[in-house]
């Protein structure tokens, strides 16, 4: 039987040292992969990080096709992953970072496991454009579904833009992600399960099933609406979401500066 604690330790070290690790050679079940993820996060909490919410993965066709995984997954977000809007991220912190356009929700109420889209909508405090920086700890950014789940679903960092009223309709709004002033990914929020609200419904269910239901104040990332783009030192990334505004950040240059 696989030593799940040891796998968590290995993935935690790979993240902290920004060094790729081979794909898991042990065959583990999806439940065991989530158990590794839970232990991995226990290690981060023990170092002082605080739980902030969850991120959904593979909620769009574009993401499933890019990574060859067709199952919806989720991961945990901590305050240590949050980057200030307009901020600078340090390229050296990552193994091979990528960025993808997302929608973020923040909750004003707890969300129990089974909710309708209307119930989920009623629990939203605000909605924002978001950029997720994913960074697989595995060699060549290649993984099976159990590999990626154990690796906290490639969670690495995220930027949240300005918050808008919960009544803002984000069922089908344009999303444009640019790198260094060039359009790289153009899509619609409808690519996320037909409506990002469905991702919030799924998040509530999956988090509750794991015994960690969504709480008031939690942030939920709905999942990438398009394929992700590789990041390089010095890149400036900007996401504009129709009706929600802009989220952006800069990657440090190789020498650690941002200009
Ligand atoms: C896994 C994480 C997927 C999303 O938004 O679909 C994800 C990966 O692509 O490395 O964050
Ligand atoms: Mg994502």
């Amino acid at each position: 039987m696989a030593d799940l604690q040891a796998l968590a330790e290995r993935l935690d070290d790979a993240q902290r040292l920004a060094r790729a690790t081979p794909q898991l050679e042990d065959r583990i079940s999806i439940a065991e992969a989530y158990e590794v993820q839970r232990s991995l996060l226990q290690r981060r909490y023990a170092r002082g990080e605080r739980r902030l919410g969850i991120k959904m993965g593979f909620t769009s066709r574009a993401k499933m096709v890019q990574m060859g995984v067709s199952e919806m997954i989720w991961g945990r977000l901590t305050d240590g992953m949050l980057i200030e809007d307009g901020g600078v991220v340090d390229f050296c912190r990552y193994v091979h970072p990528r960025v993808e356009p997302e929608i973020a929700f923040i909750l004003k109420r707890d969300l129990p496991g089974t909710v309708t889209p209307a119930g989920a909508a009623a629990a939203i405090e605000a909605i924002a454009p978001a950029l997720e920086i994913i960074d697989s700890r595995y060699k060549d950014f290649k993984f099976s579904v159990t590999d990626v789940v154990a690796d906290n679903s490639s969670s690495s960092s995220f930027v949240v833009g300005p918050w808008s009223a919960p009544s803002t309709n984000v069922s089908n709004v344009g999303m444009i992600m640019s790198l260094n002033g060039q359009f790289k990914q153009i899509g619609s929020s409808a690519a996320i399960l037909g409506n990002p609200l469905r991702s919030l419904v799924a998040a509530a269910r999956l988090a509750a099933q794991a015994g960690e239901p969504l709480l008031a104040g939690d942030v939920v990332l709905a999942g990438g609406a398009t394929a992700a783009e590789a990041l390089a030192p010095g890149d400036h990334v900007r996401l504009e979401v129709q009706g929600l505004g802009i989220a952006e950040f800069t990657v440090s240059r190789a020498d650690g500066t941002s200009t």
Side-chain angles (χ1 to χ4, degrees):
M1 221 189 96
D3 182 344
L4 304 182
Q5 289 289 343
L7 294 179
E9 186 176 340
R10 183 172 126 195
L11 288 163
D12 190 40
D13 288 348
Q15 184 263 319
R16 284 186 306 105
L17 305 171
R19 218 175 277 150
T21 189
Q23 287 70 20
L24 305 183
E25 50 290 316
D26 300 292
R27 276 187 172 269
I28 58 172
S29 66
I30 243 316
E32 287 170 324
Y34 277 108
E35 186 52 34
V36 174
Q37 184 190 122
R38 207 184 56 77
S39 313
L40 180 64
L41 268 289
Q42 289 305 333
R43 301 175 68 88
R44 293 181 72 135
Y45 300 144
R47 291 196 294 269
E49 289 182 52
R50 206 167 48 81
R51 171 188 181 281
L52 267 197
I54 77 169
K55 57 78 75 66
M56 296 298 291
F58 302 129
T59 51
S60 69
R61 291 280 322 152
K63 280 289 304 178
M64 293 184 208
V65 168
Q66 183 179 33
M67 301 317 298
V69 174
S70 54
E71 213 169 306
M72 191 158 63
I73 61 173
W74 64 282
R76 280 129 166 132
L77 301 174
T78 74
D79 59 348
M81 301 176 189
L82 184 61
I83 307 287
E84 190 190 352
D85 188 22
V88 179
V89 303
D90 183 1
F91 189 77
C92 306
R93 270 181 57 188
Y94 307 95
V95 182
H96 33 212
R98 296 180 180 179
V99 63
E100 56 197 20
E102 305 223 3
I103 301 276
F105 298 105
I106 188 162
L107 303 181
K108 64 180 171 202
R109 278 190 220 145
D110 299 357
L111 260 188
T114 309
V115 287
T116 60
I124 299 170
E125 164 98 34
I127 311 177
L131 285 162
E132 184 181 11
I133 301 173
I134 48 171
D135 190 26
S136 177
R137 267 53 68 164
Y138 299 111
K139 282 206 170 113
D140 307 319
F141 220 116
K142 290 213 174 87
F143 45 68
S144 66
V145 65
T146 48
D147 288 341
V148 67
V149 163
D151 185 28
N152 197 20
S153 298
S154 305
S155 299
S156 189
S157 300
F158 65 103
V159 177
V160 178
W163 291 107
S164 288
S167 55
T168 314
N169 186 341
V170 292
S171 61
N172 183 10
V173 290
M175 300 175 69
I176 300 177
M177 186 170 77
S178 320
L179 263 74
N180 309 315
Q182 284 196 324
F183 292 167
K184 286 287 182 186
Q185 292 288 344
I186 300 178
S188 162
S189 61
I192 305 163
L193 297 177
N195 180 345
L197 202 53
R198 293 210 184 103
S199 184
L200 182 57
V201 169
R205 176 172 48 83
L206 294 168
Q209 274 171 4
E212 297 177 27
L214 294 180
L215 304 173
D218 278 359
V219 171
V220 175
L221 292 180
T226 71
E229 289 285 332
L231 287 172
D235 278 346
H236 178 254
V237 185
R238 182 183 193 268
L239 168 66
E240 180 161 7
V241 180
Q242 188 189 353
L244 287 184
I246 292 161
E248 59 191 332
F249 68 91
T250 303
V251 184
S252 66
R253 292 197 176 281
D255 61 6
T257 65
S258 61
T259 47

